Amino acid sequence: TDHRVFAIVGDGDLQEGVSHEAASLAGHLGLGRLVVIYDDNHITIDGGTELSYSDDVPRRFESYGWHVHEIGEVANDLDALEAGIRVAMDEIDRPTLVVLRSHIGHPSPKFTDTAAAHGSPLGADEVRVVKGMIGLPVDETFTVPDDVLAAYRAAGARGAAARTEWATRRDAARANDPVRVEDLEACIRGRGRPGWDEALPSWPAGEAVATRNACARVLDAIVGAVPGLVGGGADLTGNTGTALKGAPVVARGASGGRQLYFGVREHAMGSVMVGMAEGGLLPFGGTFFVFSDYMRPAVRVAALSRSKVAFVWSHDSIAVGEDGPTHQPVEHLAALRAMPGLRIIRPADANETAAAWRVHLEGEGPTAIVLSRQNLPVLAGTDVLARTGVADGAYVLVAERGAAPDVVLIGTGSEVSLCVDAHGALATAGIDARVVSMPSWDLFAARSEAERAEVLPPGVARLAVEAGTTFGWDRWSDDTIGIDTFGASAPGAIALERFGFTVDAVVARATTLVGGR
């Protein structure tokens, strides 16, 4: 209860849209231990802020419910700075914005209050001038004054003593409250309690379940065994399978909940989750897949930082239906597959959805779990095969009848069941097919060449089926049934049929592919 979170922002930061989303949510939740220092220097790269920016920032933050403390032109007055920050720390019911007027480039005679100081070096001559003005040796490239060195060494000594005291408290807590300590350490490790995955549900073949609904059931089942799990949706909590049934809600004055309502703030949701992950929690957040566009900067930071965040994106294809092309993802899988460090899993059914959560919680870094709006059949064999197959990225779901297949049908997500149906139709036509479920390109790519060859045998024709752009599929397939235009407004089943996602279409393309060999 004695922690604080400090952030420093400038004029440019507060012009970015995410600052509005994040500040609004922080004010709503009354995050009184958050202190943001606004370095208001009136300069951006293009020049003075008057070119593009005339917000009344203090009033803006007051409207969000923040405490605003304006301390004036004290950027170089350490005592005034400390006093202002301590006033902010005394406010515990609201986040605080400390407004500080500074002068970029100070005290350079040539560059103070200029846009040039934003990103250009002062130059050797001006550096000598400034060093002389502030009492540093002008001819030394690098120097540390004795009082600064002494202050750092004293801080280190204080830190050592504080750590020893903390270790003593930790050992006492482990003896007196071992369950709570184990929960804390599970959070720090980014894992569940030992045996947590025994709580994962399983579904029988033939049941019809939208993978977004399977996700909700998985979260309900494991939340009690994974103490760090906390999250929700961006005004789409129930729609995306990110509702925790009966879980306490994170609210003003009640920060110990597990369910967090992010509101219509996708970018802030992604950013908040990255911060939560770095702080020892296991955050998840849901929205429609098409709205991942709003989140992309935060997703990239998660991938770059290896933050253990679960991005839950539902309504994953043109099967969204009547909402039309503005809400129907087409290029999103390809675009996000291009991002290094992001694990993307598009489950074929409910059992693969449960396996996706196992992969995320047992792994490192961020995972995108891409889910269907519509019901999908639970496929025969996934209750067993998906447990390891999803972690492998791709696996043989339906084997060929003979010694080797004539063609391999590769599906992801909702199109795997289409491949399974086409398998039977091809058998009637005398073509022996293998069906491969490939929920994750990146996990499959991480396997050895020999392991990949066991799933996709060299020299055998391959047809991929995915309700998204065909871009990139030439890496894994000889031909692809996909969609390289935007979608259309129609019921989901009709949209899929009109764009060629039918058994007949798969059989025709597979037959042509085999005949061409």
Side-chain angles (χ1 to χ4, degrees), residues 31 46 93 158 166 242 253 313 435 453 491:
L31 303 183
D46 276 349
D93 295 324
R158 291 195 304 273
W166 169 80
T242 51
W313 291 320
V435 176

Side-chain angles (χ1 to χ4, degrees), residues 473-490:
W473 266 110
D474 56 344
R475 180 181 186 184
W476 306 115
S477 65
D478 300 303
D479 191 12
T480 306
I481 296 177
I483 172 171
D484 289 317
T485 66
F486 292 115
S489 182

Side-chain angles (χ1 to χ4, degrees), residues 21-316:
E21 295 182 27
S24 173
L25 182 59
H28 171 74
L29 293 175
L31 303 183
R33 298 191 179 275
L34 172 62
V35 177
V36 176
I37 300 169
Y38 172 30
D39 175 24
D40 180 20
N41 62 39
H42 293 202
I43 292 292
T44 59
I45 293 174
D46 276 349
T49 53
E50 65 271 9
L51 292 171
S52 60
Y53 183 56
S54 55
D55 297 13
D56 188 334
V57 172
R59 304 295 83 75
R60 171 186 152 193
F61 274 76
E62 285 177 351
S63 76
Y64 294 142
W66 285 54
H67 167 225
V68 176
H69 184 43
E70 300 185 61
I71 60 176
E73 298 203 24
V74 296
N76 301 292
D77 185 335
L78 296 182
D79 292 336
L81 285 172
E82 180 176 351
I85 292 170
R86 292 200 176 277
V87 168
M89 293 170 63
D90 287 339
E91 171 60 59
I92 61 172
D93 295 324
R94 298 172 293 170
T96 295
L97 181 74
V98 177
V99 183
L100 165 67
R101 174 72 169 99
S102 66
H103 296 273
I104 194 168
H106 175 82
S108 164
K110 185 176 180 180
F111 290 102
T112 296
D113 288 332
T114 66
H118 199 290
S120 301
L122 300 184
D125 292 341
E126 191 69 6
V127 167
R128 288 176 59 86
V129 170
V130 173
K131 283 184 173 181
M133 294 175 67
I134 61 177
L136 292 177
V138 297
D139 295 318
E140 292 187 28
T141 302
F142 183 82
T143 185
V144 179
D146 291 341
D147 59 336
V148 173
L149 181 60
Y152 270 83
R153 285 176 171 165
R158 291 195 304 273
R163 193 192 189 287
T164 299
E165 180 187 355
W166 169 80
T168 301
R169 295 199 313 272
R170 179 197 59 192
D171 293 342
R174 183 173 284 113
N176 298 328
D177 194 352
V179 173
R180 185 177 181 185
V181 171
E182 172 55 34
D183 283 354
L184 175 60
E185 292 183 350
C187 291
I188 294 171
R189 294 192 306 269
R191 299 289 188 272
R193 299 191 189 106
W196 72 271
D197 58 339
E198 295 173 7
L200 284 169
S202 180
W203 288 261
E207 189 172 343
V209 185
T211 51
R212 59 172 176 154
N213 294 335
C215 179
R217 184 171 160 190
V218 169
L219 290 172
D220 284 336
I222 68 174
V223 66
V226 184
L229 202 63
V230 59
D235 198 46
L236 293 167
T237 306
N239 305 66
T240 57
T242 51
L244 297 172
K245 191 182 301 181
V249 174
V250 177
R252 180 185 290 267
S255 58
R258 308 292 292 276
Q259 184 79 67
L260 180 53
Y261 290 97
F262 290 99
V264 189
R265 303 182 180 99
E266 292 90 354
H267 193 170
M269 177 174 72
S271 302
V272 167
M273 289 195 293
V274 173
M276 293 168 72
E278 296 303 313
L281 294 174
L282 286 166
F284 62 90
T287 189
F288 293 168
F289 192 27
V290 75
F291 298 151
S292 63
D293 284 343
Y294 296 143
M295 303 175 65
R296 193 175 177 91
V299 177
R300 191 173 192 273
V301 170
L304 184 65
S305 305
R306 303 300 297 148
S307 301
K308 195 163 181 174
V309 174
F311 298 101
V312 181
W313 291 320
S314 71
H315 296 55
D316 64 347

Side-chain angles (χ1 to χ4, degrees), residues 2-21:
D2 61 350
H3 74 281
R4 294 291 189 282
V5 176
F6 295 93
I8 300 175
V9 302
D11 297 297
D13 299 306
L14 295 189
Q15 291 175 53
E16 293 285 359
V18 68
S19 74
H20 298 262
E21 295 182 27

